[in-house]
Amino acid sequence: MSDVTLLHNPKCSTSRAAVEAIEEVGAPAEVVQYLKEPLDEAALRDLLEKLEDEPADLVRRDSFFKDQGLTDADVATVDQVVAVLVEHPRLMQRPVIIKGDRAIIGRPKDRVAPFVAG
């Protein structure tokens, strides 16, 4: 069983770069396509407890975010982040790398290899 999990969107170049970085390090990883297997509330809360980045950073601020009428005030707390991502999994920042009891958002790309290797 792998100690590394990658929450991955294969359509995202940064997410694909994370797959390559993990392979280059030689770390076995479980790759989860989070749009096909969305995280439920409990899994999101667990992820946010491990996340070294700010909880609000887990939410993408793209055109879909704006189209939903969302603002930064709507993702200011852990509860709000969880609610938004349960309703709109596509707004989760990607890639996310989980290793043991720690997790990071793999942006910029050069964060991935040191995190996985460390």
Side-chain angles (χ1 to χ4, degrees), residues 24-50:
E24 287 174 13
V25 170
E30 176 184 4
V31 177
V32 176
Q33 291 188 31
Y34 66 89
L35 292 176
K36 290 184 179 181
E37 301 175 44
L39 279 64
D40 62 15
E41 180 179 343
L44 283 165
R45 288 187 184 281
D46 183 57
L47 173 59
L48 287 165
E49 285 181 21
K50 296 175 181 179

Short mmCIF file of all heavy atoms in Angstrom, two decimals, residues 24-50:
data_model
loop_
_atom_site.label_atom_id
_atom_site.label_comp_id
_atom_site.label_asym_id
_atom_site.label_seq_id
_atom_site.Cartn_x
_atom_site.Cartn_y
_atom_site.Cartn_z
N GLU A 24 9.36 10.11 -11.00
CA GLU A 24 10.81 10.35 -11.02
C GLU A 24 11.45 10.11 -9.66
O GLU A 24 12.57 9.63 -9.58
CB GLU A 24 11.11 11.77 -11.50
CG GLU A 24 10.89 11.97 -12.98
CD GLU A 24 11.05 13.41 -13.43
OE1 GLU A 24 11.57 14.24 -12.65
OE2 GLU A 24 10.66 13.71 -14.57
N VAL A 25 10.74 10.44 -8.60
CA VAL A 25 11.25 10.21 -7.25
C VAL A 25 11.23 8.71 -6.93
O VAL A 25 11.98 8.23 -6.09
CB VAL A 25 10.41 11.00 -6.21
CG1 VAL A 25 10.73 10.60 -4.79
CG2 VAL A 25 10.62 12.49 -6.40
N GLY A 26 10.38 7.97 -7.65
CA GLY A 26 10.28 6.53 -7.43
C GLY A 26 9.36 6.15 -6.29
O GLY A 26 9.45 5.04 -5.76
N ALA A 27 8.50 7.05 -5.91
CA ALA A 27 7.57 6.77 -4.82
C ALA A 27 6.30 6.14 -5.38
O ALA A 27 5.67 6.71 -6.27
CB ALA A 27 7.23 8.07 -4.09
N PRO A 28 5.92 4.99 -4.85
CA PRO A 28 4.64 4.44 -5.29
C PRO A 28 3.51 5.35 -4.79
O PRO A 28 3.56 5.84 -3.66
CB PRO A 28 4.58 3.07 -4.62
CG PRO A 28 5.57 3.12 -3.51
CD PRO A 28 6.58 4.16 -3.85
N ALA A 29 2.55 5.58 -5.64
CA ALA A 29 1.47 6.49 -5.27
C ALA A 29 0.13 5.95 -5.76
O ALA A 29 0.04 5.36 -6.84
CB ALA A 29 1.71 7.87 -5.87
N GLU A 30 -0.87 6.19 -4.94
CA GLU A 30 -2.24 5.92 -5.35
C GLU A 30 -2.74 7.20 -6.03
O GLU A 30 -2.66 8.28 -5.45
CB GLU A 30 -3.12 5.60 -4.14
CG GLU A 30 -4.58 5.41 -4.50
CD GLU A 30 -5.47 5.20 -3.29
OE1 GLU A 30 -4.98 5.28 -2.15
OE2 GLU A 30 -6.68 5.00 -3.51
N VAL A 31 -3.21 7.07 -7.26
CA VAL A 31 -3.72 8.22 -8.00
C VAL A 31 -5.24 8.17 -7.98
O VAL A 31 -5.85 7.19 -8.42
CB VAL A 31 -3.20 8.22 -9.46
CG1 VAL A 31 -3.78 9.39 -10.23
CG2 VAL A 31 -1.66 8.28 -9.46
N VAL A 32 -5.84 9.22 -7.43
CA VAL A 32 -7.29 9.31 -7.32
C VAL A 32 -7.77 10.45 -8.20
O VAL A 32 -7.37 11.60 -8.00
CB VAL A 32 -7.73 9.56 -5.86
CG1 VAL A 32 -9.24 9.76 -5.77
CG2 VAL A 32 -7.26 8.44 -4.95
N GLN A 33 -8.60 10.12 -9.17
CA GLN A 33 -9.19 11.16 -10.01
C GLN A 33 -10.41 11.70 -9.26
O GLN A 33 -11.48 11.13 -9.30
CB GLN A 33 -9.57 10.60 -11.38
CG GLN A 33 -8.35 10.24 -12.21
CD GLN A 33 -8.71 9.88 -13.63
OE1 GLN A 33 -9.68 10.39 -14.19
NE2 GLN A 33 -7.93 8.99 -14.22
N TYR A 34 -10.19 12.81 -8.59
CA TYR A 34 -11.19 13.32 -7.64
C TYR A 34 -12.47 13.80 -8.32
O TYR A 34 -13.49 13.95 -7.65
CB TYR A 34 -10.60 14.44 -6.78
CG TYR A 34 -10.25 15.68 -7.54
CD1 TYR A 34 -11.17 16.70 -7.72
CD2 TYR A 34 -9.00 15.83 -8.12
CE1 TYR A 34 -10.85 17.83 -8.45
CE2 TYR A 34 -8.67 16.95 -8.84
CZ TYR A 34 -9.61 17.95 -9.00
OH TYR A 34 -9.30 19.06 -9.73
N LEU A 35 -12.45 14.01 -9.62
CA LEU A 35 -13.70 14.37 -10.30
C LEU A 35 -14.55 13.13 -10.55
O LEU A 35 -15.78 13.22 -10.59
CB LEU A 35 -13.42 15.10 -11.61
CG LEU A 35 -12.80 16.48 -11.44
CD1 LEU A 35 -12.46 17.09 -12.80
CD2 LEU A 35 -13.71 17.40 -10.66
N LYS A 36 -13.93 11.97 -10.69
CA LYS A 36 -14.65 10.71 -10.84
C LYS A 36 -15.02 10.14 -9.48
O LYS A 36 -16.02 9.42 -9.35
CB LYS A 36 -13.82 9.69 -11.62
CG LYS A 36 -13.65 10.03 -13.07
CD LYS A 36 -12.89 8.94 -13.80
CE LYS A 36 -12.76 9.28 -15.27
NZ LYS A 36 -12.04 8.23 -16.00
N GLU A 37 -14.18 10.39 -8.48
CA GLU A 37 -14.39 9.91 -7.12
C GLU A 37 -14.31 11.10 -6.17
O GLU A 37 -13.31 11.28 -5.46
CB GLU A 37 -13.32 8.88 -6.74
CG GLU A 37 -13.26 7.67 -7.63
CD GLU A 37 -12.10 6.76 -7.27
OE1 GLU A 37 -11.89 6.53 -6.06
OE2 GLU A 37 -11.41 6.31 -8.18
N PRO A 38 -15.35 11.96 -6.15
CA PRO A 38 -15.29 13.16 -5.31
C PRO A 38 -15.15 12.82 -3.82
O PRO A 38 -15.68 11.82 -3.35
CB PRO A 38 -16.62 13.86 -5.57
CG PRO A 38 -17.17 13.25 -6.81
CD PRO A 38 -16.60 11.86 -6.89
N LEU A 39 -14.43 13.68 -3.13
CA LEU A 39 -14.28 13.52 -1.69
C LEU A 39 -15.57 13.93 -1.00
O LEU A 39 -16.19 14.93 -1.37
CB LEU A 39 -13.13 14.40 -1.18
CG LEU A 39 -11.72 13.84 -1.35
CD1 LEU A 39 -11.34 13.69 -2.80
CD2 LEU A 39 -10.73 14.72 -0.64
N ASP A 40 -15.96 13.14 -0.02
CA ASP A 40 -17.14 13.50 0.77
C ASP A 40 -16.71 14.44 1.89
O ASP A 40 -15.53 14.79 2.03
CB ASP A 40 -17.87 12.26 1.29
CG ASP A 40 -17.03 11.42 2.24
OD1 ASP A 40 -15.98 11.89 2.74
OD2 ASP A 40 -17.45 10.28 2.51
N GLU A 41 -17.67 14.85 2.69
CA GLU A 41 -17.39 15.82 3.75
C GLU A 41 -16.30 15.32 4.71
O GLU A 41 -15.37 16.05 5.04
CB GLU A 41 -18.67 16.14 4.53
CG GLU A 41 -18.42 17.14 5.64
CD GLU A 41 -19.67 17.49 6.43
OE1 GLU A 41 -20.79 17.24 5.96
OE2 GLU A 41 -19.50 18.06 7.53
N ALA A 42 -16.40 14.07 5.12
CA ALA A 42 -15.42 13.53 6.07
C ALA A 42 -14.02 13.50 5.46
O ALA A 42 -13.03 13.86 6.12
CB ALA A 42 -15.83 12.13 6.52
N ALA A 43 -13.92 13.09 4.20
CA ALA A 43 -12.61 13.04 3.54
C ALA A 43 -12.03 14.44 3.35
O ALA A 43 -10.82 14.64 3.50
CB ALA A 43 -12.74 12.33 2.19
N LEU A 44 -12.87 15.41 3.04
CA LEU A 44 -12.39 16.79 2.90
C LEU A 44 -11.90 17.33 4.23
O LEU A 44 -10.85 17.99 4.30
CB LEU A 44 -13.49 17.68 2.32
CG LEU A 44 -13.71 17.53 0.82
CD1 LEU A 44 -15.04 18.16 0.42
CD2 LEU A 44 -12.56 18.16 0.05
N ARG A 45 -12.62 17.05 5.29
CA ARG A 45 -12.19 17.53 6.62
C ARG A 45 -10.85 16.89 7.00
O ARG A 45 -9.97 17.55 7.55
CB ARG A 45 -13.26 17.25 7.67
CG ARG A 45 -14.46 18.17 7.51
CD ARG A 45 -15.45 18.03 8.65
NE ARG A 45 -16.61 18.86 8.39
CZ ARG A 45 -16.65 20.18 8.60
NH1 ARG A 45 -15.60 20.80 9.08
NH2 ARG A 45 -17.74 20.87 8.33
N ASP A 46 -10.70 15.61 6.71
CA ASP A 46 -9.45 14.92 6.98
C ASP A 46 -8.31 15.55 6.17
O ASP A 46 -7.23 15.80 6.70
CB ASP A 46 -9.59 13.43 6.65
CG ASP A 46 -8.35 12.65 6.97
OD1 ASP A 46 -7.90 12.68 8.14
OD2 ASP A 46 -7.80 11.99 6.06
N LEU A 47 -8.57 15.81 4.91
CA LEU A 47 -7.57 16.44 4.06
C LEU A 47 -7.18 17.82 4.60
O LEU A 47 -5.99 18.15 4.68
CB LEU A 47 -8.10 16.57 2.63
CG LEU A 47 -7.23 17.37 1.65
CD1 LEU A 47 -5.84 16.77 1.51
CD2 LEU A 47 -7.93 17.48 0.30
N LEU A 48 -8.15 18.61 4.98
CA LEU A 48 -7.86 19.95 5.48
C LEU A 48 -7.07 19.93 6.79
O LEU A 48 -6.28 20.84 7.03
CB LEU A 48 -9.16 20.75 5.63
CG LEU A 48 -9.77 21.18 4.29
CD1 LEU A 48 -11.22 21.62 4.47
CD2 LEU A 48 -8.93 22.28 3.66
N GLU A 49 -7.26 18.89 7.60
CA GLU A 49 -6.46 18.77 8.82
C GLU A 49 -5.00 18.52 8.50
O GLU A 49 -4.11 18.93 9.23
CB GLU A 49 -7.00 17.63 9.69
CG GLU A 49 -8.28 17.98 10.41
CD GLU A 49 -8.78 16.83 11.28
OE1 GLU A 49 -7.98 15.94 11.65
OE2 GLU A 49 -9.98 16.83 11.59
N LYS A 50 -4.73 17.85 7.39
CA LYS A 50 -3.37 17.51 6.98
C LYS A 50 -2.71 18.60 6.15
O LYS A 50 -1.49 18.67 6.06
CB LYS A 50 -3.38 16.22 6.15
CG LYS A 50 -3.84 15.01 6.90
CD LYS A 50 -3.94 13.81 5.99
CE LYS A 50 -4.44 12.59 6.75
NZ LYS A 50 -4.55 11.42 5.88
#
